Amino acid sequence: MANTVVIGMQWGDEGKGKIVDLICPSFGAVVRYQGGHNAGHTVKFEDRHFALHLVPSGILHAGMRCVLGNGMVISPPAFFEELDGLAAAGVEVGDRLVVSDRAHVLLPHYAELDRRREESLGDDRIGTTSRGIGPAYELKAARCGLRMADLLASDLPTRLERLAAELGHRGAGDRDEWLAGLPAVRGWAERLAPFVDDTTGLLAAWRREGMAILFEGAQGTLLDLDHGSYPYVTSSSSTAGGAAVGSGVPPTHLDGVLGVLKAYTTRVGEGPFPTELHDEAGSYLRQRGNEFGTTTGRPRRCGWLDLVAARYACEVNGVDTIALTKLDVLDGFDEIKLCVAYRVDGEEIRRFPADAAKLARAKPVLESVPGWTDETAGVLAHDALPAAARDYVARIQAETGAPVSLISTGPRREETIVRDEPRFAELTGGFAG
Ligand code: IMP
């Protein structure tokens, strides 16, 4: 019985949704611990196709519990839309979905604040998802945010008055306009009430019963507020450490980390990206990998695999084992490039720099490795991969020091190679596919 954290090792969109969906039958519950409806993943199963933003993909598995932890910022309309979508698809949610009473409420007005901030930044904009994520976390850190517990409190109007006053001080909204929105907020509270609970206590009780819990990170390491390519990051802790803070499960109860690494790199939004490709290879990756945002539909920027970033992600998250995704997207290249270091201001560096301006000046030190012409798409055994693809995997292991235990060769659950790797077996209760 292990409590395992799944995180993205790049700038998000590594394919965590598929991996969580695949291994979650080995767990009793899946917990989201940060972010909000800026995240998004697509899950394909049989003839069904789901895009989820707030609710973990575990909800598609009968009996699986899903928790939206205290570290999240939750938009009630987005939450209801997702519930309605699940109901329309015949997914029985019942009492399997629980929202932390400590989670913050993301009010629709925050999206407008997000957009205005971006406009004022001009060329320096972050390229956010415009969902209001930044403002929600700002209010949380300023200790005047609205939490689920506030939404259910009998003096909600007073609490909203306080928030409206605070926003007024910031020149971010008209008090009367805010308060006019109250009836809608009351309606949300009524619909949310059955889902809201003390999830810290619930998770502790489940652990006492011996339940294994899976923690699903959203976004990726390089978008983490502290460890990412600041300021071009999201406003939450998307690294493994965030799992403890954002769920109320102590770090001593987390057993290990599965890092999800895409076989190449993508990024949405602005900010430095040393291995970005502006040529045909980049377009090939975008088209073949269907690299368009699940949440915003934006085309993703594409580039070669960045091993500087991957090593950094292993260090910051304590990655025990790697799930390598979208290997099949590299099918058809004569040669593939790997970034092993950066060259900045005439100096070669092997570590991910803190300064975004320095990262923007970094030129990738690229090594060419042979590509493969045989398809890896849909291959189900490691031995059946072309030799060059196996070498590519081996190189990633050697560079990161973490074994690659899963290899995804297509979007479907079934299109996955599960390797016999002891640490992975420990962290997934012996999951074998
Ligand atoms: P925000 O989270 O909307 O504030 O956006 C901040 C940065 O994170 C922008 O570069 C977004 O494109 C990026 N971002 C947020 N969520 C995701 C995600 O789920 N996948 C990839 N990028 C994301």
Side-chain angles (χ1 to χ4, degrees):
M1 281 299 137
N3 297 322
T4 301
V5 186
V6 173
I7 51 90
M9 293 175 63
Q10 292 147 315
W11 276 288
D13 307 314
E14 296 90 352
K16 297 176 291 294
K18 171 182 162 170
I19 303 301
V20 167
D21 179 56
L22 183 74
I23 64 173
C24 80
S26 301
F27 299 82
V30 186
V31 181
R32 270 277 308 267
Y33 57 86
Q34 42 74 231
H37 64 312
N38 49 347
H41 45 236
T42 319
V43 181
K44 290 184 184 158
F45 176 53
E46 289 163 2
D47 58 346
R48 296 196 288 174
H49 183 154
F50 290 86
L52 295 171
H53 300 281
L54 288 164
V55 179
S57 49
I59 204 71
L60 305 179
H61 295 259
M64 182 70 53
R65 315 267 186 150
C66 290
V67 172
L68 305 191
N70 57 276
M72 291 188 70
V73 290
I74 299 168
S75 152
F79 181 69
F80 300 142
E81 198 181 320
E82 224 153 294
L83 284 183
D84 293 344
L86 287 165
V91 178
E92 183 67 49
V93 171
D95 61 359
R96 294 192 294 123
L97 181 60
V98 195
V99 177
S100 169
D101 49 8
R102 293 178 169 87
H104 277 248
V105 180
L106 188 157
L107 295 172
H109 195 67
Y110 301 170
E112 180 56 28
L113 301 180
D114 194 348
R115 277 192 290 269
R116 267 199 254 156
R117 163 85 52 81
E118 284 282 272
E119 267 167 36
S120 72
L121 285 171
D123 288 346
D124 293 331
R125 68 188 180 280
I126 310 291
T128 71
T129 59
S130 314
R131 297 292 186 271
I133 304 294
Y137 280 111
E138 282 168 38
L139 290 165
K140 171 178 174 173
R143 296 163 293 188
C144 55
L146 190 76
R147 307 205 292 181
M148 289 291 166
D150 297 310
L151 207 56
L152 303 186
S154 54
D155 63 344
L156 170 65
T158 317
R159 298 184 192 205
L160 275 171
E161 281 264 12
R162 246 182 265 143
L163 177 60
E166 173 62 33
L167 285 162
H169 292 149
R170 294 162 179 243
D174 176 79
R175 178 186 164 280
D176 294 335
E177 186 193 316
W178 264 93
L179 299 175
L182 246 182
V185 178
R186 282 231 178 80
W188 295 341
E190 264 170 42
R191 192 168 173 197
L192 274 162
F195 295 96
V196 177
D197 206 341
D198 168 12
T199 52
T200 304
L202 203 59
L203 287 164
W206 291 346
R207 293 199 308 284
R208 282 194 295 274
E209 288 166 15
M211 185 193 281
I213 300 167
L214 186 63
F215 296 81
E216 175 180 347
Q219 289 87 44
T221 302
L222 306 178
L223 289 172
D224 182 279
L225 181 59
D226 286 80
H227 303 289
S229 49
Y230 191 90
Y232 300 96
V233 293
T234 190
S235 299
S236 65
S237 300
S238 48
T239 44
V245 180
S247 70
V249 172
T252 46
H253 289 213
L254 302 175
D255 297 298
V257 178
L258 172 64
V260 184
L261 181 75
K262 187 148 57 180
Y264 51 96
T265 312
T266 61
R267 168 161 214 179
V268 262
E270 306 303 319
F273 178 179
T275 63
E276 183 168 14
L277 289 165
H278 298 281
D279 58 7
E280 264 177 39
S283 314
Y284 182 83
L285 292 172
R286 188 173 309 107
Q287 293 309 323
R288 190 168 158 103
N290 190 24
E291 296 294 354
F292 298 90
T294 315
T295 299
T296 58
R298 290 182 288 179
R300 296 180 186 140
R301 300 156 64 191
C302 298
W304 299 120
L305 182 60
D306 183 341
L307 291 168
V308 178
R311 289 191 302 255
Y312 176 61
C314 280
E315 181 176 274
V316 143
N317 295 291
V319 170
D320 291 287
T321 185
I322 292 176
L324 184 68
T325 57
K326 292 191 146 183
L327 184 66
D328 55 300
V329 174
L330 294 177
D331 290 357
F333 281 103
D334 292 337
E335 68 168 3
I336 295 170
K337 294 193 175 146
L338 281 167
C339 169
V340 293
Y342 300 147
R343 181 157 283 282
V344 193
D345 306 332
E347 189 197 349
E348 189 167 303
I349 59 169
R350 287 180 57 82
R351 293 192 54 79
F352 196 78
D355 181 11
K358 188 168 179 182
L359 189 62
R361 292 197 305 277
K363 299 276 174 265
V365 176
L366 295 170
E367 254 184 54
S368 283
V369 295
W372 49 88
T373 42
D374 292 347
E375 295 248 315
T376 68
V379 168
L380 302 182
H382 181 251
D383 292 348
L385 289 172
R390 290 201 304 271
D391 288 349
Y392 191 72
V393 174
R395 181 67 192 276
I396 292 169
Q397 295 189 144
E399 286 281 340
T400 58
V404 172
S405 47
L406 284 183
I407 303 170
S408 173
T409 55
R412 303 175 72 83
R413 249 183 218 168
E414 304 76 14
E415 293 168 321
T416 312
I417 298 170
V418 185
R419 298 177 78 192
D420 186 12
E421 197 278 298
R423 190 69 180 119
F424 175 73
E426 257 170 46
L427 292 179
T428 58
F431 177 84

